[in-house]
Amino acid sequence: MISERFRIDGRVAVVTGAGRGIGAATAVALAQAGADVVISSRTREQLDEVAAGVEAAGRRALVVPADLADPDTAAELADLAAGEFGRLDIVVNNMGGAMPAAFLDTSPRHMEKAFRFNVGTAHALTRAAVPHLLEAGGGSVVNISSAMGRIAGRGYLAYGSAKAALAHYTRLAAFDLAPRVRVNAVAVGSVATSALDVVMTSDELRTEMERRTPLRRVGEPEDVAAAVLYLASPASAYVTGSVLRVDGGIEAPNLDLGLEDL
């Protein structure tokens, strides 16, 4: 049955930024499909809630509170997963982000931090994971990029540039690691997570964002989690180097930051 190709029974996954939002939904989705999951973010209380969701699906969770802005710390998750569960099959590089800012307010340090946070940590974990993925017979890496890595809008210079770099990192890494390790990405649009709290609590802003989105709604974390499961599972066994759009169909930013001309 085709549904069996979406199963990942007995496999082990690492999910970064897993305390809430997309990361939390992804960790639970992978567990529901059969995987044990290593979950990491800065806040233990949030991770404990996610771990309860993993365990409710009948799988095991390893909670690793850590500041993953440090690439060396992110890299350690690969060994922790293999040491705890005996293997590693799936890596989901979900951690990332950067605060919006006008061009002249985007310092070189801010730009460097965005690249380290969105690309450097993903590479550090992926590089550390590859020997374990190979030992397990192959594996899948899924990077969480953004629609802002493809479209242009004011205020997103650091974030959009870093996410564009992550998307192309995905393509390059896919070539380097083929045929045994697949590398893909999900380019997400506006998703109802804590990052959009200001928008979600304003009827005016939310209505405007929905109006500018072809599918006329803001995404849910589960929309992204379903795409990650596809790319992590045998269902996508003939897919690598791809950036899957999960963005409601937008071709321009659906949130105007109100930045004026210089």
Side-chain angles (χ1 to χ4, degrees):
M1 293 179 62
I2 193 67
S3 60
E4 294 176 358
R5 298 191 68 175
F6 291 86
R7 297 296 306 178
I8 47 175
D9 296 293
R11 300 188 188 181
V12 175
V14 170
V15 182
T16 64
R20 55 188 178 181
I22 291 170
T26 294
V28 172
L30 296 177
Q32 291 173 344
D36 297 320
V37 190
V38 177
I39 52 176
S40 186
S41 69
R42 285 184 290 186
T43 307
R44 173 174 284 278
E45 290 76 13
Q46 293 175 341
L47 291 172
D48 287 340
E49 291 183 12
V50 178
V54 170
E55 291 162 1
R59 306 307 304 179
R60 296 173 293 169
L62 176 63
V63 171
V64 185
D67 182 0
L68 300 179
D70 176 13
D72 291 337
T73 300
E76 292 172 359
L77 294 175
D79 287 343
L80 287 173
E84 178 72 14
F85 296 121
R87 60 186 296 149
L88 178 58
D89 305 272
I90 299 161
V91 173
V92 182
N93 288 306
N94 171 63
M95 193 193 71
M99 290 299 294
F103 184 93
L104 292 179
D105 294 329
T106 303
S107 67
R109 184 178 296 275
H110 183 66
M111 185 71 80
E112 291 168 3
K113 182 178 179 181
F115 272 79
R116 183 174 68 252
F117 197 48
N118 291 275
V119 184
T121 54
H123 175 60
L125 174 53
T126 301
R127 180 173 178 268
V130 164
H132 299 296
L133 298 174
L134 293 174
E135 186 175 349
S140 175
V141 177
V142 184
N143 300 317
I144 304 302
S145 184
S146 169
M148 290 311 305
R150 177 180 59 87
I151 61 180
R154 283 186 174 173
Y156 299 100
L157 186 69
Y159 178 72
S161 297
K163 288 302 190 183
L166 182 61
H168 200 48
Y169 170 90
T170 296
R171 300 180 189 101
L172 295 168
F175 268 77
D176 284 339
L177 300 179
R180 297 181 62 195
V181 176
R182 298 185 299 110
V183 186
N184 294 287
V186 180
V188 304
S190 300
V191 178
T193 66
S194 58
L196 283 183
D197 279 347
V198 173
V199 174
M200 295 297 101
T201 56
S202 167
D203 290 340
E204 181 180 356
L205 287 176
R206 179 164 186 156
T207 298
E208 178 64 12
M209 181 175 283
E210 291 171 342
R211 184 187 68 79
R212 294 185 178 197
T213 304
L215 289 183
R216 299 294 188 267
R217 70 176 177 90
V218 174
E220 297 294 335
E222 289 75 16
D223 293 322
V224 182
V228 173
L229 174 58
Y230 165 67
L231 293 173
S233 73
S236 63
Y238 200 52
V239 180
T240 196
S242 292
V243 180
L244 177 60
R245 291 175 54 183
V246 181
D247 58 14
I250 59 173
E251 294 295 340
N254 54 7
L255 179 62
D256 185 359
L257 299 179
L259 298 176
E260 301 294 335
D261 293 350
L262 296 179

